[in-house]
Amino acid sequence: MIDFDPSTFGLAHTYQKEDKDEINTLALPSAPQVIYKTLNGPTQINGGNKLTNFKHGTTTLGFVFKEGILLAVDSRASMGSFLSSEQVRKVIEINEYLLGTMAGGAADCQYWLAYLANHCRTYELKNGSKLSVAAASKFLQGILIGYRNSGLSMGCMIAGTDTTGQHLYYIDNDGMRLKGDIFSVGSGSTYAYGVLDNHYRYDLSLNEAVELGIRAIYHATHRDTASGGVVRVYHIHKDGWTKVHDGIDVVDLHYQFAKQKGLVGDGDEAKQRLF
Amino acid sequence: MDSIFGLQGGDFVIVACDGSIAHSILKIKETEDKILKLDDHKIFGISGEGADRNSFGELVHKNHCLIRYKTGSYMNLQETAHFVRSMYAQAIRSRDGPHQCNGLLGGVDSDGTPSLYWLDYLGSLQKITRGAQGYANYFLLGLLDNQYKPNLTKEEGIEIIKKCIKELQTRFLIAQNKFIVKIVTKQGIEAFTI
């Protein structure tokens, strides 16, 4: 709809909006539009797609095999695109027969797993016997169901040994508790599952299992920006747990695995040449 | 996204469920048993998100046990179904809201009569001969209606359930590979995976 301004009456003039604004109005200076992005790391690449919105910027995994349970975790903490630490301890030593892994909010995991440790010790003193893994994980589930809509963020695995054997549970902030043989949690979990599902067998030896855990975490850290740092590996057996590796740098692993395949590891396997 | 479906025959009830637990795009577990055993002759298949399914299932199971200890006898199917329905109904306008899970309660009474009940998160209750919860409804009700006839034998019932599973695997967008099937007869509960 053309606005007939008296100053242009009579002119064969196609009215452009920009001309009018320039002449007749004092416009505000154009300022850059500020877009408030949520600090979510990988989701920004996906344009904030809800399906792939893995809040927990980490990779942790655990699996049950004939020699017990193996837990392997990375050690990166990121706040959006800022790496706050490459040396986080994501396996929390609850007591000498129970371990918990951390994914999601570090504070939530650390606090509630410490609370669980307190509860386990109190039970042990009162009742004269250790709390079973099933009961410990159920206790934590009860707490998380109670805080369900309060915004806790936890995706942790409870692994331990008791009189009935070694058990692995996955517990998350929605109050879900699952018993299983293989779990991987975090933004890099899909990459770790790929390697883990391919090579997992129940009758792995301890060395093979450690190697599998390390490889799966390495592959997750290679492809997932929110995972990295070092790999820490723990083994749970009938006498408790042992720390198998305290920190293997994934960068070293990258060149080591590349060398095994006869590659340099510089990412130029496709040998792209532009001229 | 859970599939729970069931069938009542001449002297048995079958309830089947898929075994997968999914979290965004990941299938965390494939062998989760979503059919709760209330006692030797009653099963309750629950469909819903993990925590609700777990916690409501536990609530029903423990209260069911409590009533048995208080009164000294087991409730029959009709009493159990109405009891579970009342648990759903009490929660509707409570502070935490309704229990976000639906269920299929099936079992056989001590005189051998089978029954299957469809229960909803808002406290609906309906006695049915065949039915499903969740998306499985869309795929299976036609098939269940077509294949059902009165006084089915156990073998015919299992065949129909296998056809249902095959239909879900063919037509349902979400891949559900493992199903857990439980059959209640006067002799007790049999369970197997397909």
Side-chain angles (χ1 to χ4, degrees), chain A residues 12-257:
Chain A
H13 185 93
T14 354
Y15 225 48
Q16 303 284 351
K17 191 175 183 291
E18 293 90 301
D19 294 350
K20 179 183 180 183
D21 284 346
E22 235 176 279
I23 300 163
N24 295 319
T25 60
L26 283 174
L28 286 170
S30 58
Q33 260 206 313
V34 179
I35 304 167
Y36 290 98
K37 286 189 180 170
T38 52
L39 297 175
N40 264 334
T43 61
Q44 290 173 334
I45 301 165
N46 288 326
N49 182 4
K50 268 218 153 87
L51 264 188
T52 49
N53 188 2
F54 291 106
K55 276 189 294 187
H56 325 302
T58 185
T59 312
T60 60
L61 64 88
F63 56 89
V64 179
F65 66 113
K66 73 170 195 284
E67 309 265 0
I69 301 182
L70 197 93
L71 292 179
V73 299
D74 76 312
S75 67
R76 176 173 290 186
S78 46
M79 286 157 49
S81 49
F82 173 65
L83 288 192
S84 39
S85 173
E86 291 270 73
Q87 284 142 20
V88 179
R89 291 197 176 273
K90 296 186 186 180
V91 173
I92 293 162
E93 297 158 9
I94 299 172
N95 56 37
E96 68 279 359
Y97 61 94
L98 265 185
L99 289 175
T101 62
M102 165 168 44
D108 293 331
C109 290
Q110 283 176 352
Y111 180 83
W112 288 112
L113 290 176
Y115 190 87
L116 175 63
N118 182 327
H119 177 80
C120 289
R121 181 63 183 150
T122 314
Y123 180 93
E124 198 178 325
L125 289 170
K126 275 192 194 171
N127 295 280
S129 65
K130 298 187 192 334
L131 200 56
S132 65
V133 188
S137 57
K138 193 141 195 81
F139 178 73
L140 187 61
Q141 181 196 29
I143 295 170
L144 294 182
I145 289 184
Y147 285 98
R148 205 149 25 135
N149 294 319
S150 320
L152 284 183
S153 167
M154 285 172 70
C156 61
M157 292 189 278
I158 303 284
T161 183
D162 58 32
T163 52
T164 54
Q166 289 80 55
H167 304 288
L168 178 65
Y169 287 86
Y170 164 77
I171 299 179
D172 77 15
N173 53 272
D174 297 323
M176 175 143 71
R177 167 179 170 265
L178 295 173
K179 186 176 197 315
D181 288 338
I182 310 178
F183 287 117
S184 177
V185 188
S187 53
S189 60
T190 45
Y191 310 111
Y193 268 125
V195 177
L196 212 44
D197 288 332
N198 203 17
H199 295 295
Y200 170 79
R201 290 179 342 260
Y202 182 77
D203 54 358
L204 291 165
S205 70
L206 178 56
N207 284 334
E208 289 172 331
V210 170
E211 177 71 18
L212 176 58
I214 292 172
R215 267 190 199 263
I217 294 286
Y218 155 70
H219 283 289
T221 58
H222 184 60
R223 287 292 182 179
D224 177 32
T225 51
S227 303
V230 301
V231 185
R232 302 194 208 273
V233 183
Y234 286 72
H235 173 221
I236 296 175
H237 43 83
K238 62 175 170 51
D239 300 316
W241 55 260
T242 348
K243 192 187 294 190
V244 181
H245 287 292
D246 194 24
I248 311 176
D249 196 333
V250 293
V251 178
D252 295 338
L253 285 173
H254 173 74
Y255 291 109
Q256 188 188 315
F257 292 144

